[in-house]
Amino acid sequence: MGSNSSRIGDLPKNEYLKKLSGTESVSENDPFWNQLLSFSFPAPTSSNELKLLEEATISVCRSLVVNNPRTGNLGALIKVFLSRTKELKLSAECQNHIFIWQTHNALFIICCLLKVFICEMSEEELQLHFTYEEKSPGSYSSDSEDLLEELLCCLMQLITDIPLLDITYEISVEAVSTMVVFLSCQLFHKEVLRQSISHKYLMQGRCLPYTSKLVKTLLYNFIRQEKPPPPGAHVLSQQSDGGGLLYGLASGVATGLWTVFTLGGVGSKAAASPELSSPLANQSLLLLLVLANLTDAADAPNPYRQAIMSFKNTQDSSPFPSSIPHTFQINFNSLYTALCEQQTSDQATLLLYTLLHQNSNVRTYMLARTDMENLVLPILEILYHVEERNSHHVYMALIILLILTEDDGFNRSIHEVILKNISWYSERVLTEISLGSLLILVVIRTIQYNMTRTRDKYLHTNCLAALANMSAQFRSLHQYAAQRIISLFSLLSKKHNKVLEQATQSLRGSLSANDVPLPDYAQDLNVIEEVIRMMLEIINSCLTNSLHHNPNLVYALLYKRDLFEQFRTHPSFQDIMQNIDLVITFFSSRLLQAGAELSVERVLEIIKQGAVALPKDRLKKFPELKFKYVEEEQPEEFFIPYVWSLVYNSAVGLYWNPQDIQLFTMDSD
């Protein structure tokens, strides 16, 4: 990047970067800064491009780490940026492209430098680098102690106050990215950070008043999904005539300025990378999730989590409770639409979980919607493609369903929504099915996948809990959904018999080989019997509460009646089997009376008639099945590594060397 530089490999030799990182102090009023900041190149997006950029500039960054205690050039660069941001809003209104472009470049360099500084030193050392000025080596000025806090406040102001225009889009993305970088010290610690200098600045002092405004802006960035401006709108895009006014001005600011270059060299193409429709929305969502999952301070709760927990609908005219700080209003309809449309990404699913679990206003609003299929179908599709999703994404989708099924109104309404031709469901052509029956099919499929592949008890438990919550409200179950319920019970029954046989053989073997350690079949048997018990309770709950609404389930029960025979006298299932056995006996008797070789239609007709005739008081009442999602103790031990893994894999324009990451293993999902 110099007058003769056009390849990324030339960056370490660039005279302006060498001067910035060298042993000579540069005053914040020096014309050098205009020269340094007058560069333009295609912003790196793919991880390969970002890796090349980092490798080419790491020597410059490390040189600045060594020399900054003497020169204070990092502080000078930050002061140049801070002075420019004071005029940024006016520059946007006046369409001052060059001023905005140079301010963006200053922030881009700061972000690149911070990323290396944070990776290579402690927060205390980083804070000290913000205090160094042009003095003797290692000296610092007391009136510069809050430069780091001032920069953070400035970034928050930039994100919240600068209007989003074509000419300000890139600097808005860069501001969000720089805040993510400020918090990235967590990546380089194995343990969850519970005390941090950057956390302290964000939760106290001058940054605190911006809390609700920042959260609101980040949410609206996600909602609006603003696309980046077209190439013709970029600040330094070359015009069709070979160079526009801006291009000419920028190229002539001083001799030897950084020139337009491509990351692979002159004329080379950047590596192909998946395009994000809205880098600003993606980056804003990641920052929002990072802020929401910061650990509480010793003397105060996380204000960003408080804001997320308490914001209200713009149509809600009730006064804000004085006891709840950082609250604000947002358009729930727009938020709901965005959440429905963006569920293909982990981070959007995590945001949906966060809002449903923590914000009662959002949860109440969503459960009252009459178009819940728009939200539920994308969640079901995540579970359906379980093989292609990471385990965290599947868990989040499943917990969302569990939270939704805690509501009886939801459980009733999903059986009233009729869907046609579910294209992504490939096991069977479903020309018409209720949302409730489809939900049952997908959850059962997830259980069966888990039984044969991952064998995760946590996943099993939550799947069954969701089915149990719904069971009393099952209505007009699709015949295929009814079949799959009984098929799952059949699979569990076979597994039970297999484990029982293994346990028996193991017991016999232990009598003759006392010194050989044996598998704990008793524990396996106990787990499978818990699951079988749960399935029997789900079937029983449906029969006792809505038998007359579900002839297809009774039909499937009768068709596979032999499955239940072995459990009639089993001490673990004897009580719950009473109702199921009564229903099988009652309807079997009516079918026998009707004669042999009955058609499917005739059998269903007899079942419907019998459901009316069966006295309800003959079915024993059991406590209602209700399971409530409860977050585990110390949820940050799960969520913080998860959020940062999303940042690592999804952030736009940010790259970290995988060898430096301590928080999570790079091959985990």
Side-chain angles (χ1 to χ4, degrees):
M1 280 183 177
S3 58
N4 299 311
S5 296
S6 58
R7 292 184 300 108
I8 196 168
D10 293 333
L11 287 178
K13 295 177 283 187
N14 179 272
E15 57 180 294
Y16 295 100
L17 291 178
K18 288 172 73 174
K19 184 172 181 178
L20 172 68
S21 60
T23 56
E24 178 187 345
S25 294
V26 184
S27 164
E28 58 194 89
N29 300 314
D30 197 300
F32 162 79
W33 298 109
N34 278 336
Q35 298 167 349
L36 174 71
L37 302 179
S38 296
F39 68 87
S40 177
F41 61 89
T45 53
S46 73
S47 59
N48 286 337
E49 291 176 347
L50 291 159
K51 184 179 180 183
L52 284 172
L53 180 63
E54 173 141 325
E55 289 172 348
T57 56
I58 191 72
S59 61
V60 173
C61 296
R62 286 174 175 166
S63 177
L64 183 62
V65 170
V66 172
N67 293 319
N68 187 58
R70 179 189 297 271
T71 66
N73 284 347
L74 175 65
L77 171 61
I78 289 169
K79 287 176 182 177
V80 168
F81 169 73
L82 292 173
S83 67
R84 285 174 170 270
T85 56
K86 293 172 184 175
E87 302 176 44
L88 200 57
K89 194 170 184 179
L90 181 61
S91 298
E93 293 170 357
C94 298
Q95 296 285 301
N96 189 336
H97 291 243
I98 290 182
F99 188 88
I100 294 170
W101 159 58
Q102 290 186 330
T103 309
H104 166 269
N105 288 349
L107 184 54
F108 177 77
I109 294 173
I110 290 169
C111 188
C112 290
L113 293 172
L114 278 176
K115 196 153 64 64
V116 175
F117 273 57
I118 288 169
C119 178
E120 301 208 347
M121 64 183 67
S122 69
E123 280 196 295
E124 289 74 21
E125 290 174 291
L126 174 67
Q127 190 178 32
L128 204 55
H129 271 277
F130 274 75
T131 66
Y132 293 136
E133 291 191 335
E134 181 187 356
K135 289 188 177 182
S136 57
S139 66
Y140 61 90
S141 170
S142 59
D143 61 2
S144 304
E145 287 179 356
D146 290 333
L147 192 61
L148 193 155
E149 183 178 27
E150 192 174 346
L151 178 57
L152 273 172
C153 284
C154 178
L155 292 173
M156 295 174 84
Q157 288 175 316
L158 199 161
I159 294 167
T160 57
D161 294 347
I162 301 303
L164 188 60
L165 309 169
D166 281 356
I167 59 172
T168 60
Y169 189 94
E170 288 186 1
I171 195 171
S172 297
V173 174
E174 201 64 47
V176 176
S177 298
T178 307
M179 284 202 68
V180 172
V181 167
F182 255 119
L183 294 162
S184 66
C185 53
Q186 176 64 80
L187 280 172
F188 312 110
H189 292 79
K190 288 184 178 180
E191 304 297 325
V192 167
L193 288 179
R194 300 186 183 278
Q195 287 186 328
S196 163
I197 292 171
S198 56
H199 294 188
K200 183 188 75 172
Y201 280 129
L202 285 169
M203 292 189 189
Q204 301 170 16
R206 294 166 58 190
C207 292
L208 189 61
Y210 294 99
T211 297
S212 58
K213 199 171 182 182
L214 179 63
V215 171
K216 183 176 182 176
T217 301
L218 295 175
L219 274 173
Y220 268 126
N221 285 347
F222 166 72
I223 288 169
R224 288 167 180 152
Q225 294 289 317
E226 292 281 358
K227 296 181 180 180
H234 287 170
V235 171
L236 278 184
S237 291
Q238 194 161 345
Q239 305 298 315
S240 58
D241 61 357
L245 171 64
L246 287 172
Y247 185 84
L249 283 173
S251 299
V253 172
T255 56
L257 293 188
W258 300 22
T259 57
V260 178
F261 80 106
T262 55
L263 287 166
V266 176
S268 68
K269 291 185 178 180
S273 61
E275 288 190 6
L276 283 166
S277 61
S278 178
L280 179 60
N282 179 74
Q283 217 78 335
S284 295
L285 177 52
L286 292 172
L287 175 57
L288 182 65
L289 292 171
V290 169
L291 291 171
N293 286 281
L294 295 178
T295 54
D296 293 335
D299 54 349
N302 177 348
Y304 303 95
R305 188 182 303 123
Q306 285 183 314
I308 286 171
M309 290 172 64
S310 60
F311 70 83
K312 302 193 304 181
N313 194 354
T314 48
Q315 295 182 349
D316 185 348
S317 57
S318 61
F320 291 114
S322 57
S323 59
I324 303 178
H326 313 300
T327 191
F328 59 91
Q329 289 179 296
I330 205 165
N331 188 309
F332 276 17
N333 183 59
S334 300
L335 177 61
Y336 180 80
T337 301
L339 286 167
C340 292
E341 291 174 350
Q342 300 299 323
Q343 285 308 308
T344 51
S345 74
D346 280 70
Q347 48 266 41
T349 305
L350 181 53
L351 176 63
L352 174 58
Y353 158 78
T354 302
L355 295 178
L356 276 174
H357 177 52
Q358 297 186 358
N359 190 313
S360 59
N361 300 320
V362 172
R363 184 168 61 252
T364 301
Y365 174 85
M366 288 188 176
L367 288 168
R369 294 283 302 206
T370 56
D371 59 348
M372 278 298 291
E373 67 273 18
N374 292 335
L375 187 68
V376 175
L377 281 173
I379 299 300
L380 294 183
E381 198 168 350
I382 293 168
L383 292 175
Y384 185 79
H385 296 294
V386 59
E387 302 94 337
E388 303 165 18
R389 305 289 183 179
N390 69 71
S391 59
H392 291 350
H393 199 183
V394 171
Y395 285 144
M396 289 299 101
L398 191 54
I399 292 169
I400 287 167
L401 287 185
L402 180 55
I403 293 171
L404 292 173
T405 60
E406 291 171 13
D407 183 76
D408 286 339
F410 171 83
N411 295 332
R412 283 191 298 270
S413 64
I414 55 174
H415 293 287
E416 297 167 4
V417 178
I418 304 302
L419 309 168
K420 296 182 184 294
N421 301 316
I422 308 300
S423 58
W424 47 263
Y425 195 95
S426 58
E427 271 90 344
R428 179 166 172 159
V429 177
L430 299 174
T431 54
E432 188 172 286
I433 189 170
S434 71
L435 179 60
S437 288
L438 181 64
L439 196 159
I440 292 166
L441 284 175
V442 173
V443 171
I444 286 175
R445 185 180 183 276
T446 306
I447 293 172
Q448 290 180 324
Y449 173 83
N450 187 48
M451 285 177 65
T452 56
R453 306 284 182 85
T454 54
R455 300 182 181 181
D456 187 322
K457 185 181 179 182
Y458 180 82
L459 193 144
H460 255 4
T461 302
N462 284 285
C463 283
L464 290 167
L467 288 176
N469 285 346
M470 296 166 59
S471 59
Q473 307 291 340
F474 283 172
R475 293 290 186 277
S476 304
L477 290 184
H478 191 280
Q479 61 180 27
Y480 187 51
Q483 289 170 16
R484 298 310 295 164
I485 291 172
I486 304 304
S487 294
L488 175 58
F489 185 80
S490 174
L491 186 66
L492 292 167
S493 176
K494 290 175 184 176
K495 191 170 182 64
H496 177 265
N497 292 340
K498 183 178 179 181
V499 173
L500 190 60
E501 184 181 346
Q502 288 172 332
T504 304
Q505 291 176 352
S506 173
L507 189 62
R508 288 172 184 160
S510 66
L511 298 176
S512 56
N514 292 327
D515 56 335
V516 180
L518 297 169
D520 189 0
Y521 289 114
Q523 184 177 354
D524 290 348
L525 195 62
N526 185 52
V527 170
I528 194 69
E529 287 186 354
E530 282 181 12
V531 177
I532 287 174
R533 169 84 189 187
M534 191 84 156
M535 278 303 299
L536 288 171
E537 287 181 344
I538 289 167
I539 294 169
N540 179 71
S541 174
C542 176
L543 295 178
T544 54
N545 290 285
S546 54
L547 178 122
H548 56 293
H549 289 298
N550 292 291
N552 284 327
L553 182 63
V554 177
Y555 184 100
L557 198 64
L558 293 172
Y559 191 75
K560 293 283 188 178
R561 70 191 81 176
D562 293 345
L563 279 176
F564 299 88
E565 192 64 36
Q566 62 177 308
F567 299 107
R568 289 176 64 187
T569 55
H570 194 292
S572 298
F573 314 117
Q574 204 168 8
D575 60 333
I576 204 75
M577 276 298 302
Q578 289 180 26
N579 286 341
I580 296 172
D581 193 37
L582 187 151
V583 168
I584 290 174
T585 304
F586 177 82
F587 284 99
S588 296
S589 173
R590 293 182 75 91
L591 290 175
L592 279 174
Q593 293 171 16
E597 298 185 11
L598 300 172
S599 66
V600 173
E601 292 76 14
R602 178 61 181 143
V603 171
L604 285 171
E605 185 183 339
I606 293 168
I607 289 172
K608 290 175 184 176
Q609 293 169 352
V612 176
L614 179 64
K616 300 296 183 291
D617 57 359
R618 290 184 60 187
L619 295 174
K620 181 182 176 183
K621 290 291 182 183
F622 286 84
E624 184 182 11
L625 291 179
K626 270 299 171 190
F627 294 88
K628 191 174 179 63
Y629 169 68
V630 179
E631 207 166 59
E632 293 184 14
E633 290 184 18
Q634 295 188 312
E636 64 274 9
E637 298 291 341
F638 169 83
F639 285 104
I640 289 177
Y642 180 32
V643 168
W644 278 105
S645 72
L646 296 181
V647 173
Y648 176 84
N649 289 303
S650 310
V652 182
L654 293 176
Y655 169 83
W656 289 274
N657 189 330
Q659 295 178 346
D660 295 329
I661 304 300
Q662 298 291 317
L663 183 60
F664 48 83
T665 54
M666 301 314 301
D667 58 349
S668 70
D669 40 50

